[in-house]
Amino acid sequence: MKKLSDNFGKEVNKLLSVTNNIVIVTHSNPDADAIGSSLGLYNFLIKKRQNPIVITPNSYPEFLWWMPGNQNIINFYNDKKSAVEIIKQAQIIFYVDFNETNRIDKLEKYIKQSNSIKIVIDHHPLFNENIDYILSDASASSAAELVYEFIVLLNNINLIDEKIAKCLYAGIMADTGCFSYNSSKPRTFQIVAELLIFNINKDEIVSKIYDNFSTDRFRLLGYCLNEKLTVFPQYHTAIISLTKQELKKFNFKQGDDEGFVNYPLSIKGIIFSAIFVERVDYVKISFRSKGAFATNKFARKNFNGGGHLNASGGKSKMDIDKTIEKFISLLPNYKNELDENED
Ligand SMILES: [Mn+2]
């Protein structure tokens, strides 16, 4: 675990005791871990008699709206004026579930202008060193797990309650795909055990996050798997693509393609998966892998992106067909690596 100071807990506690204006920011297109870790931290700071405000760069799916504190989140995209004003007043800004400011899109400009103290709580590989306090561990399951560690470092375990536990559980559960990956360390389960003490209904949380497909989204998934899947067995790779017209046909709403990229990894012998989704002026790409194949390196080198070893993303300004052509043309360069990692 990286942190800038051995007295992290003491120093941050001291800092919080003299600060009123605290802002928590998470990455754009927030997922369950982004919202769970942000609201876990939010509810914790409220318990500490602080007055934090969570700001998201844009909106996020309705299946995350149940989390305690959600009603107070400010969405920069919808309420730019308030968000900018709050950031101007901020004395501390937490970066939760990201550390590179290019992950927060248009919010970046305002966050960079702020001379507040910056505190990172994140589990992505660390690139931004321009931060006052860092709690970063790329081997942690989720940002939510690190928010728990943050509370431990501040010596405030006694403040954890059902609200905090629900949010943190949601983040850990979702970022590990219901404990199927990124969850081999005993520590993750120790933390989960501590959270379950608060009588949270874990099955209900899973159901809220996963059993929420609209009929359109469910049919879109079926369409992807049946019509839009291309498998490259020689490269242990499979891809899915979706054009704007196809999205329209299925009344696409933001987040509807969430998780689709994981499905090809269920095919025997496939260890690398990608989904290409056409947006207004670029192609959004998500990568997933099993084992040691580093999708983040692949994304960084070829598609302007980055992320975790097994889960990352990128962008392409070329049209979707050219983007896919480029992806396919790259596969031979990775053949050895993909062969080695075949399970
Ligand atoms: Mn995360």
Side-chain angles (χ1 to χ4, degrees):
M1 204 180 294
K2 257 187 210 164
K3 44 188 194 282
L4 283 188
S5 131
D6 289 340
N7 290 320
F8 183 92
K10 262 194 188 153
E11 285 180 32
V12 173
N13 260 328
K14 205 171 152 200
L15 200 64
L16 289 173
S17 70
V18 296
T19 309
N20 295 315
N21 300 336
I22 300 172
V23 172
I24 299 166
V25 176
T26 192
H27 60 78
S28 67
N29 303 322
D31 55 11
D33 185 38
I35 299 298
S37 56
S38 298
L39 286 178
L41 179 62
Y42 167 86
N43 285 304
F44 164 68
L45 291 173
I46 295 229
K47 270 300 246 326
K48 257 176 112 56
R49 303 189 176 282
Q50 304 284 344
N51 198 12
I53 296 177
V54 179
I55 298 178
T56 60
N58 60 356
S59 58
Y60 46 93
E62 224 173 295
F63 61 77
L64 301 174
W65 295 1
W66 58 269
M67 287 193 223
N70 175 71
Q71 70 283 2
N72 297 327
I73 290 184
I74 292 184
N75 171 349
F76 170 78
Y77 188 82
N78 288 344
D79 196 355
K80 197 172 162 186
K81 222 176 140 194
S82 319
V84 169
E85 200 45 47
I86 288 161
I87 290 166
K88 266 190 198 154
Q89 310 279 327
Q91 295 166 288
I92 297 180
I93 298 180
F94 282 92
Y95 294 3
V96 179
D97 203 25
F98 76 98
N99 64 73
E100 287 180 286
T101 47
N102 61 8
R103 297 291 319 279
I104 55 175
D105 297 337
K106 299 217 162 71
L107 203 51
E108 180 177 27
K109 175 177 143 197
Y110 302 97
I111 295 288
K112 277 192 163 166
Q113 281 167 4
S114 161
N115 47 21
S116 66
I117 288 170
K118 311 281 189 337
I119 304 179
V120 159
I121 303 179
D122 186 29
H123 69 131
H124 295 87
L126 189 64
F127 291 104
N128 188 347
E129 299 283 350
N130 193 14
I131 293 290
D132 301 287
Y133 293 92
I134 298 177
L135 179 54
S136 157
D137 181 0
S139 75
S141 69
S142 52
E145 180 176 323
L146 292 176
V147 168
Y148 185 92
E149 301 288 21
F150 178 78
I151 297 173
V152 172
L153 285 169
L154 267 58
N155 210 1
N156 280 143
I157 289 227
N158 58 315
L159 294 183
I160 297 182
D161 60 12
E162 193 191 338
K163 286 185 193 170
I164 299 169
K166 273 184 177 172
C167 297
L168 297 186
Y169 183 83
I172 298 172
M173 184 276 299
D175 253 21
T176 59
C178 293
F179 306 100
S180 61
Y181 46 80
N182 288 341
S183 48
S184 301
K185 293 206 305 194
R187 182 63 181 154
T188 305
F189 288 90
Q190 281 163 356
I191 291 171
V192 166
E194 294 298 322
L195 297 177
L196 290 176
I197 289 170
F198 294 92
N199 260 329
I200 57 173
N201 188 337
K202 75 171 197 25
D203 299 356
E204 192 182 285
I205 293 175
V206 172
S207 186
K208 275 178 172 152
I209 292 180
Y210 291 106
D211 303 337
N212 54 46
F213 279 61
S214 63
T215 309
D216 282 329
R217 184 181 176 207
F218 205 58
R219 289 192 194 283
L220 177 66
L221 173 62
Y223 175 72
C224 283
L225 301 182
N226 195 36
E227 311 269 337
K228 299 302 309 264
L229 175 77
T230 311
V231 181
F232 305 92
Q234 69 277 36
Y235 301 118
H236 316 289
T237 297
I239 63 172
I240 292 171
S241 65
L242 285 167
T243 64
K244 275 187 267 190
Q245 288 102 311
E246 288 167 326
L247 296 178
K248 208 173 156 207
K249 193 173 145 199
F250 289 90
N251 300 312
F252 182 83
K253 288 193 193 62
Q254 200 199 332
D256 274 2
D257 56 342
E258 180 78 40
F260 286 12
V261 65
N262 294 309
Y263 284 87
L265 295 179
S266 297
I267 302 170
K268 191 171 161 66
I270 297 303
I271 62 154
F272 184 30
S273 160
I275 185 168
F276 301 82
V277 183
E278 200 176 26
R279 292 285 173 95
V280 180
D281 54 358
Y282 67 98
V283 177
K284 185 190 132 197
I285 317 169
S286 301
F287 302 105
R288 293 291 184 275
S289 74
K290 280 200 237 174
F293 184 74
T295 66
N296 51 0
K297 274 194 199 154
F298 182 91
R300 193 165 279 276
K301 184 155 185 222
N302 304 303
F303 291 102
N304 259 322
H308 302 288
L309 184 89
N310 295 125
S312 61
K315 271 182 185 179
S316 162
K317 289 275 181 194
M318 294 186 288
D319 71 38
I320 188 158
D321 292 335
K322 288 251 159 55
T323 303
I324 295 171
E325 251 172 55
K326 177 180 171 185
F327 176 86
I328 295 171
S329 75
L330 288 165
L331 289 175
N333 307 340
Y334 291 85
K335 177 151 173 67
N336 289 343
E337 220 179 311
L338 289 161
D339 279 342
E340 272 166 32
N341 287 297
E342 181 197 4
D343 55 1

